[in-house]
């Protein structure tokens, strides 16, 4: 059985495929190691059960487009499995992919979905306590249910401070208390009139997040992940 598996691995490697499914439904990493002038083949099984394929696919379809780096962080420690599944989805025509992003169709691939991508950076700060997340509506970008309760993330793109504030504030009483406003730069914060909010999250172009508890506070704070 081992010999047969090795021959399959070499065949797939020759065709440029790095990961394959074996007969026991595990992913196999194929490595060629050069030692003392000789090349050795190493086959390393990687359990695929850690990421149900439908969960990853649903994540992409829910948010239309996400950065590959965001998926790596969401499934931290399972980057190889993510790569393998994305490769399978692309071959099956179920998603589209370029060097930095995956999307549910070609239209979303080039420009992405800035509002969801911004909010997802903030969501990643709550990743360890998130039990379920889904796209919001009526101005809410992402709603997340955690062990400490519900959080609503509202992305506010530059130039949309007033329109987003009006939509969200009109339903503010129906929303939970843990409302996180996500922006691209701190100068947007004074232009946002939604009250009350749990925190303002500023997302830099590289995905770094900085939190402020009030619109007038100069010193950053930690993400509001506690139950209070």
């Amino acid at each position: 059985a081992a010999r047969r598996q090795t021959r399959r691995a070499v065949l797939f490697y020759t065709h440029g495929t790095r990961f394959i499914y074996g007969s026991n439904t595990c992913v196999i990493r194929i490595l060629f190691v050069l030692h003392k002038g000789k090349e050795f083949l190493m086959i390393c099984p990687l359990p695929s059960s850690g990421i149900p394929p439908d969960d990853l696919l649903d994540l992409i379809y829910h948010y239309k487009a996400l950065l590959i780096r965001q998926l790596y962080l969401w499934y931290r420690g399972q980057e190889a499995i993510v790569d393998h599944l994305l490769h399978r989805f692309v071959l099956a025509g179920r998603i589209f992919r370029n060097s930095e992003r995956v999307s549910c169709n070609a239209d979303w691939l080039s420009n992405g979905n800035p509002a969801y991508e911004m909010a997802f950076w903030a969501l990643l700060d709550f990743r360890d306590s998130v039990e379920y997340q889904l796209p919001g509506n009526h101005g809410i970008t992402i709603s997340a249910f955690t062990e400490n309760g519900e959080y609503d993330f509202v992305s506010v793109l530059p130039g949309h401070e007033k329109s987003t504030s009006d939509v969200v504030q009109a339903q503010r009483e129906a929303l939970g208390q843990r409302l996180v406003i996500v922006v691209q730069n701190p100068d947007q914060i004074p232009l946002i009139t939604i009250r009350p909010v749990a925190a303002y999250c500023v997302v830099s172009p590289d995905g770094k997040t900085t939190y402020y508890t009030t619109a007038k506070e100069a010193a950053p704070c930690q993400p509001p992940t506690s139950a209070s």
Side-chain angles (χ1 to χ4, degrees):
R3 183 179 304 172
R4 183 167 58 253
Q5 189 179 52
T6 301
R7 280 204 291 264
R8 287 184 61 196
V10 173
L11 177 63
F12 273 82
Y13 181 87
T14 303
H15 285 79
T17 302
R18 187 179 180 189
F19 302 105
I20 64 174
Y21 268 109
S23 58
N24 57 350
T25 68
C26 72
V27 183
I28 295 174
R29 172 183 287 165
I30 304 166
L31 302 174
F32 278 87
V33 180
L34 189 64
H35 179 64
K36 294 183 178 181
K38 295 183 178 180
E39 195 175 58
F40 295 88
L41 173 68
M42 297 180 61
I43 302 177
C44 309
L46 299 172
S48 62
S49 58
I51 305 179
D54 286 346
D55 286 3
L56 177 57
L57 194 62
D58 285 346
L59 197 65
I60 298 169
Y61 275 44
H62 280 162
Y63 299 116
K64 312 302 181 187
L66 288 172
L67 298 173
I68 296 173
R69 283 197 301 133
Q70 292 177 322
L71 296 178
Y72 286 164
L73 291 170
W74 188 255
Y75 295 106
R76 190 164 48 237
Q78 303 182 83
E79 293 85 351
I81 305 300
V82 170
D83 266 337
H84 167 72
L85 291 175
L86 293 180
H87 180 69
R88 286 179 55 201
F89 295 155
V90 171
L91 290 179
R94 305 187 72 178
I95 65 168
F96 291 77
R97 176 180 181 173
N98 58 24
S99 60
E100 64 176 14
R101 181 179 288 115
V102 293
S103 67
C104 62
N105 60 44
D107 294 335
W108 288 106
L109 188 61
S110 57
N111 297 321
N113 193 341
Y116 280 129
E117 289 176 9
M118 280 174 54
F120 203 86
W121 283 123
L123 178 66
L124 282 166
D125 290 329
F126 298 74
R127 168 189 174 275
D128 292 341
S129 64
V130 171
E131 298 173 351
Y132 187 73
Q133 41 65 39
L134 73 166
N137 51 41
H138 303 299
I140 304 301
T141 311
I142 296 178
S143 294
F145 301 89
T146 76
E147 58 191 22
N148 295 320
E150 180 181 354
Y151 286 84
D152 293 310
F153 299 87
V154 177
S155 289
V156 183
L157 299 175
H160 294 262
E161 293 84 4
K162 185 180 186 306
S163 59
T164 303
S165 294
D166 290 346
V167 170
V168 175
Q169 191 63 41
Q171 56 168 337
R172 184 64 189 88
E173 293 184 2
L175 300 174
Q177 293 302 306
R178 301 179 182 91
L179 188 67
V180 179
I181 307 298
V182 187
V183 296
Q184 290 184 357
N185 63 75
D187 295 339
Q188 293 179 257
I189 295 176
L191 305 177
I192 298 169
T193 58
I194 303 169
R195 302 290 187 275
V197 302
Y200 298 88
C201 175
V202 180
V203 179
S204 67
D206 63 356
K208 180 181 178 181
T209 56
T210 305
Y211 288 82
Y212 302 88
T213 55
T214 71
K216 297 181 179 180
E217 184 178 15
C221 65
Q222 296 297 313
T225 56
S226 65
S228 59

